[in-house]
Amino acid sequence: MSSQSVGHFALLPLYAAAGTAILALLADLFTGRRAAITGVTLLGTLATAVCAVLAANAEPTFCATGGCSWIPTGAAATTAVLFAGLTAGVLAFSLPALRIGTAPAGEFCFLLACSMTGGVTVAYAGDLITLIVGLETLTLPLYVLVGLRRFAPTERVTSDPAAASLTFFLISVVSTAIALLGVALNYVATGVVHLASLGPAQASVFAPIAGVGAALLVIGLAFKVAAVPLHAWAPATYDGAPVPVAAYLSTASKLGGILALVTVVSRLETRAVVTILAILTMTIGNLVALRQTRMVRLLAWSSVAQAGYILAALAIGEPGAVAALAYAGFFVVLELVAFGVVVALRPQGGDGGTLADFRGAGRRSPWLGAALILAFAGLAGLPPGLAGLFAKLSVVDALIDANWTWLAGVVVLNAVIALAYYVRVSAALYTLPPRVGFSVADPVLLDEAIHPHLPVPRPVAIAVAAAVTAAVALGFAPQLLLNALT
């Protein structure tokens, strides 16, 4: 592929993702029908996944001296398929809320498709500029999506979506500025932006500048995965956003940040910074999660802790990259299951509720309770959540092989701490509420009186079932994902 030509075949996934956003707008303009808009968007996610598979072996494009800016690989194709699947799942979770008018379907689907386009760009990025542009394209639409819950019925919303959106925006702007400053300093010191040529600066007068640039770049990207100290936005934003959007933040948005970190950390010498971030992130995330009383906030702090495990694998540099990517793949699927169950168990258009709102939910909806138990077991790294168990073992094994046994011990210790809140919530699913103020003799009728059973919308049920199937399949055949990511 010459530097003057453009490989359109390699760009098929990007065309499909961007075309999905355009078609969602056109469907809204010419039909105004919610079914047409959401149908086009869902078909667009499928087309994006198919195009990613077809173009997996295409030649790189936008090439110049030093490397190429768009690099199709098997790992990139797998990640693009994962982004498309997460987008489809979140859209399915949102359909019941869109049906009752909590947000305009056209704007919602357009913004979601734009965010998917950014995720695809991150997956195929071959230089730092494309990587940053992809991350911002992934993140920018989410500022608006977080605040779209202002259309929801006020009695179903207990948090402030506008404040959540503003918090997310301000911290994101600061982190992006830090990341761009890191890219600039690294370019000044090395003259390199293509990932293929990226590496630690050789001994020279510019080596300290390159080191500072690499550290700033990692710190800026750490925001995307809600790593400490750039984590404070996550709980407030997750709890203030519509629950499906919080699911997207916790899965697709975090996956984009992880990909960017893996790309940078595996090529630059940033072990000290990443090690400190990993220890602080997993420890603070788990300790604060112990005190949470709201479901989405608990999932948010759990997500912070999970990011710490991924950073622990990245602390050893390139040898831990595969383990980090595998952990990310398992984590986002399990997190999607957890958020999908929360959507199914809560009123349409409502927030995530408190932990008390989920007491007895496993009795009222056995299969949803089982799905949430599976997700929590996987996130904790226990059977029957085999996908999460393999993910934890892959990180610990990579650390031990690199003679970082002490950090592996920190990971195991934090995994034990996390058991406390996962077990507490899991037990609540099958615990009957107290009888105070009620004279109902039958405890099941009492449970139904306090927390009435809600019918599960069909799109949510299908999406949760698909996510559970993917989690179980990955648990029994983890090598499939591992091979796809390498």
Side-chain angles (χ1 to χ4, degrees), residues 212-233:
V212 172
L216 290 176
L217 179 56
V218 169
I219 292 172
L221 295 177
F223 160 83
K224 306 298 181 182
V225 298
V228 176
L230 294 171
H231 67 289
W233 65 273

Side-chain angles (χ1 to χ4, degrees), residues 171-223:
I171 298 180
S172 181
V173 167
V174 173
S175 67
T176 301
I178 292 173
L180 286 174
L181 178 60
V183 172
L185 290 176
N186 188 77
Y187 179 74
V188 166
T190 64
V192 170
V193 292
H194 286 99
L195 301 178
S197 304
L198 199 63
Q202 302 300 320
S204 69
V205 293
F206 297 109
I209 297 177
V212 172
L216 290 176
L217 179 56
V218 169
I219 292 172
L221 295 177
F223 160 83

Side-chain angles (χ1 to χ4, degrees), residues 438-452:
F438 288 86
S439 59
V440 183
D442 189 342
V444 177
L445 294 177
L446 172 62
D447 184 28
E448 184 68 22
I450 297 178
H451 301 299

Side-chain angles (χ1 to χ4, degrees), residues 88 137 153-154 163 172-173 176 206 208 216 219 269 280 289 303 312 326 334 342 350 435 446 475:
T137 306
T154 55
S172 181
V173 167
T176 301
F206 297 109
L216 290 176
I219 292 172
E269 182 53 53
L280 291 176
S303 177
L334 292 168
V342 172
R435 300 193 180 200
L446 172 62

Side-chain angles (χ1 to χ4, degrees), residues 77-252:
T78 302
T79 308
V81 170
L82 196 53
F83 274 116
L86 293 172
T87 303
V90 168
L91 180 56
F93 295 158
S94 305
L95 289 179
L98 293 177
R99 187 176 295 117
I100 64 175
T102 57
E107 287 88 333
F108 186 91
C109 291
F110 169 73
L111 291 169
L112 198 61
C114 286
S115 191
M116 177 179 68
T117 304
V120 171
T121 304
V122 171
Y124 288 87
D127 64 64
L128 291 175
I129 303 302
T130 305
L131 189 68
I132 297 295
V133 169
L135 274 175
E136 288 309 296
T137 306
L138 172 63
T139 305
L140 281 172
L142 298 178
Y143 304 150
V144 183
L145 286 174
V146 167
L148 276 183
R149 208 172 72 184
R150 68 182 185 274
F151 296 108
T154 55
E155 68 273 11
R156 299 182 182 179
V157 177
T158 58
S159 52
D160 187 356
S165 181
L166 184 61
T167 300
F168 185 29
F169 171 74
L170 291 176
I171 298 180
S172 181
V173 167
V174 173
S175 67
T176 301
I178 292 173
L180 286 174
L181 178 60
V183 172
L185 290 176
N186 188 77
Y187 179 74
V188 166
T190 64
V192 170
V193 292
H194 286 99
L195 301 178
S197 304
L198 199 63
Q202 302 300 320
S204 69
V205 293
F206 297 109
I209 297 177
V212 172
L216 290 176
L217 179 56
V218 169
I219 292 172
L221 295 177
F223 160 83
K224 306 298 181 182
V225 298
V228 176
L230 294 171
H231 67 289
W233 65 273
T237 301
Y238 284 31
D239 201 28
V243 180
V245 176
Y248 201 78
L249 282 168
S250 185
T251 55

